[in-house]
Amino acid sequence: MPTLIHEFSWPDRVVVGTIGLPGARTFYLQVRTGKQIVSIALEKQQSALLAENIDEILDQLMTVEGNRFSVPTSTPIELVDNDQLEAVQEQFRAGVMSLGWDPTTAQVVIEAHPITDTDAEDDESLDEDGTNEIEMLLVRMPVGTARAFAKRTREIVGAGRPTCPLCGYPIDADGHICTLPEV
């Protein structure tokens, strides 16, 4: 099975954004270099973990003697990106994701693979050669961009529905009924 790799080594833009109202939002990881743009759907939890783990990697790198990778402690102002997502055409929904560090290029590396259904072979997923083509997103971003990406992602995740102070569950726009645990 050939793999179609959507690779971005020094992207012009890499962000997490949403479409929809809180409680019914779809999260997207969107990457662009020039006119090439890829959007993949994520779960809210995947987005939150991605931001958290990127910050952990960057914070660990800052402890390296001399901070030789020039990891910023906060988001460089010139890298703040609060713009909406560009035209979204979902490439795939992310399943397995991995995060790493490439010391040779001083970049954070994100790999995202689609959710696969190995139980059912769908003839519609076959290409013209009769083989399945698997996709993958590979993003390499420098440390400043990674710090900005993590900050924006935390803000996007946190902009959802408010949490009920009694039960801890999200409050929907059309109301909320608390079910408190029995004592």
Side-chain angles (χ1 to χ4, degrees), residues 159-170:
R161 297 173 288 174
T163 303
C164 175
L166 297 175
C167 69
Y169 287 104

Side-chain angles (χ1 to χ4, degrees), residues 165-176:
L166 297 175
C167 69
Y169 287 104
I171 300 172
D172 292 324
D174 58 348
H176 174 74

Side-chain angles (χ1 to χ4, degrees), residues 2-8 36 38 92 111-113 133-139:
T3 300
L4 173 62
I5 301 174
H6 305 282
E7 186 171 357
F8 295 84
Q36 179 190 9
V38 171
F92 60 83
E111 283 187 15
H113 301 268
E133 185 167 33
I134 299 185
E135 293 182 84
M136 172 187 153
L137 176 65
L138 176 62
V139 181

